[in-house]
Amino acid sequence: MTRTTALDVLLIQKDDIWDQCNWIVPLSKALEGLTAEQAAWVPPSGGLSIWQLVNHMYYYNQRLLHRIQGTASSIPSADSNESTFGDSGDPSNTVSWSKLMEDTALLAQQLRNHLEVLEESELEATYMDSEDKWAQALARWMLHDAYHAGQIVLLRRQQGSWTIVF
């Protein structure tokens, strides 16, 4: 019997969070068929739009990719976590929304590809200037994206645009 490693678990989680319909709605399904108008919608009671949630995840995923690669991020550091969400999006700007969706899908694949070639020993290395290990940072990142995918499904249900059934 083959032993399941920490990297195996991280890859399973990444796949489930992005495109495998298992225990949770994956992010690719949560975003499937979403228009710019739906993405820019903000609940009447206030809160964030789906567009903002995707901006936020893209920011942190892009920075994580560069950290895994050991390269400088092309996105400048945010002033605060709040600033990573950006504005709610332009409901008429289908080009910007489509570009964000393409970039998000590409980034998800790039992250998956880099996870796949990590060595188990690299998970034990110190993450940045913290006391955490890479394994801990990656596990928390997975939870972060799963959390926001759930928020997107909830927003779609609130606006009446969720028609996907598993």
Side-chain angles (χ1 to χ4, degrees), residues 7 33 48 117 135-136 139 155 166:
L7 275 173
L48 298 169
V117 297
Q136 294 165 308
L155 285 168
F166 291 93

Side-chain angles (χ1 to χ4, degrees), residues 61-104:
N61 285 341
Q62 199 266 2
R63 291 181 62 81
L64 181 67
L65 176 63
H66 283 283
R67 288 174 181 161
I68 291 171
Q69 294 172 328
T71 61
S73 176
S74 58
I75 296 177
S77 293
D79 294 333
S80 66
N81 182 58
E82 187 176 328
S83 69
T84 66
F85 292 95
D87 63 33
S88 61
D90 179 348
S92 64
N93 194 339
T94 58
V95 172
S96 288
W97 176 246
S98 294
K99 173 93 168 88
L100 181 57
M101 290 299 84
E102 289 171 20
D103 291 349
T104 298

